[in-house]
Amino acid sequence: MDQAIVHVVPKRTQNEEPLPLQLSQTFCRLDEDVRYELQGKLRDVFARLGREVVEDPELKSPLPDAVRAFLSNGEDLVQVSGELAHALRGSQTGSNSAGLLLVAAARLDGQRALLMVKLEHETGMQTNEIVADGLRTFAMQYLDDLLLTQKSKVYKVALFSEEGLAEPGLQGWAADPQTSGKEVARFFLEKFLGCRHQNDPRELTRRFHDTAMSWVNSRSIDADVRMSYVMAVMVELQSSTPELDPTEFIQTHLQELHQADLAAFLAENDVPIRVFEKNTELISNRLQKMRVDLSNGAFLVTPLEAVQDGTVLVQKLGDGRTTVTVTSNVTKTISGAAAGRSPKPPAQRPELPSQTEILPGFESICAAPAQAKRAQNGHELPPAQT
């Protein structure tokens, strides 16, 4: 951060004359300790929660043009920051609290950048050691103007650099610690920044799922290992964690000899290796059951829990063939195989390597879409079907 300026943005009230903005006329005085702490905190926020954003012209926010004016035309920071303060107040509703807007001229990888932080005052107590009547004690002071404390969560951050000007639409980063890793608050992202998420979390999650499944079935991997990898993908996507870290997933669930290969395969198919927000909306019906296809035409559709508890067991025979054992009660037998129809391929199925080797007797494993309708007699799907 090179220079910074702060403006006070009052709370917007309904049916009342809005309070005037309190605009600074010059830059803040940043000593080195303040600069160091502020830079460190914001670096950490972007590293953990930063989301790539891109300008959406349909949102008609004045911010992208203001950012371009500063980064390209060298417009004065005081002037630009005042315009952004007006834009922030215009984007907020009565539910948004009053706060401060910090705007800073910064550098990112040696390129000029513009940083914006929307934050709120916080309160706290401070103690100072004193001597009273020759005895040591502490004086306590109430502070009502604290900013960015160690536990601050009520602030939102955006960063745009010269590199983001090269694209058709302005590109940058936004982070919102208040949402614990989820999407940036809509008023800040859309109304103020005039941006949208560059990569839809739903699409990224679907792409990770489909690419990981394609990798499993395009590599010569032992059947039991392949089964464990498919299970790991399904369990990871069903977990309650709001984010997905492909690098951590690979290191945790894959054997070392397979780790680099999957990482490269994900990258080749435009799946980011960095952390991204997880949203299974597009694939939720494929995370409940697993399908196993065998080379003799037989197949198995089973709930994931049946594989986890061992009632469906896959074992190598040592000659390239595989035994699939199902231990359960037979509840129904029917003709045909409607419940086991091959799942529809994804809309954008990743291209598989040309040198594909399928294990003899064990053709593929994949997540099976849930059935759209139940049988007319209302019976539940048994734990496994063969």
Side-chain angles (χ1 to χ4, degrees), residues 292-299 320-321 358-364:
V292 178
D293 288 349
L294 303 174
S295 60
N296 63 0
F299 57 82
R321 294 181 302 161
I358 300 296
L359 287 179
F362 203 84
E363 297 301 327
S364 65

Side-chain angles (χ1 to χ4, degrees), residues 147-272:
L147 298 175
L148 285 176
T149 64
Q150 288 297 318
K151 295 185 178 181
S152 293
K153 287 188 176 181
V154 187
Y155 62 96
K156 307 174 195 318
V157 194
L159 179 65
F160 298 91
S161 75
E162 291 177 305
E163 184 178 5
L165 298 174
E167 301 296 331
L170 181 68
Q171 294 187 354
W173 295 81
D176 189 352
Q178 192 174 9
T179 61
S180 302
K182 297 181 181 179
E183 292 189 358
V184 180
R186 176 164 294 182
F187 93 88
F188 186 77
L189 176 66
E190 297 182 358
K191 293 186 177 181
F192 177 52
L193 298 182
C195 293
R196 56 177 170 78
H197 288 284
Q198 187 168 11
N199 289 306
D200 185 344
R202 298 176 304 169
E203 173 60 23
L204 285 181
T205 306
R206 184 203 64 78
R207 203 184 307 160
F208 172 83
H209 170 274
D210 292 351
T211 304
M213 293 295 175
S214 295
W215 177 84
V216 167
N217 287 300
S218 67
R219 296 314 195 249
S220 180
I221 302 174
D222 289 342
D224 55 343
V225 177
R226 294 168 71 187
M227 182 77 82
S228 70
Y229 287 173
V230 171
M231 289 176 57
V233 172
M234 297 175 72
V235 170
E236 178 70 23
L237 292 175
Q238 290 186 77
S239 71
S240 60
T241 56
E243 297 175 327
L244 197 155
D245 185 343
T247 299
E248 182 179 348
F249 172 84
I250 290 172
Q251 294 175 348
T252 302
H253 298 290
L254 267 64
Q255 297 177 10
E256 187 174 356
L257 73 162
H258 298 142
Q259 292 179 3
D261 188 36
L262 176 55
F265 193 73
L266 292 174
E268 291 169 6
N269 288 278
D270 298 323
V271 178

Side-chain angles (χ1 to χ4, degrees), residues 8 14 24 105 184 199 223 253 294 307 324 331:
V8 178
Q14 295 181 345
S24 298
V184 180
N199 289 306
H253 298 290
L294 303 174
V307 183
V324 180
T331 61

Side-chain angles (χ1 to χ4, degrees), residues 10-14 88-89 91-99 118 120 154 156 178 185-188 191:
K11 181 179 177 66
R12 190 173 180 175
T13 56
Q14 295 181 345
L88 177 60
R89 183 172 65 174
S91 68
Q92 297 187 147
T93 65
S95 63
N96 300 121
S97 57
K118 194 262 183 182
E120 295 183 10
V154 187
K156 307 174 195 318
Q178 192 174 9
R186 176 164 294 182
F187 93 88
F188 186 77
K191 293 186 177 181

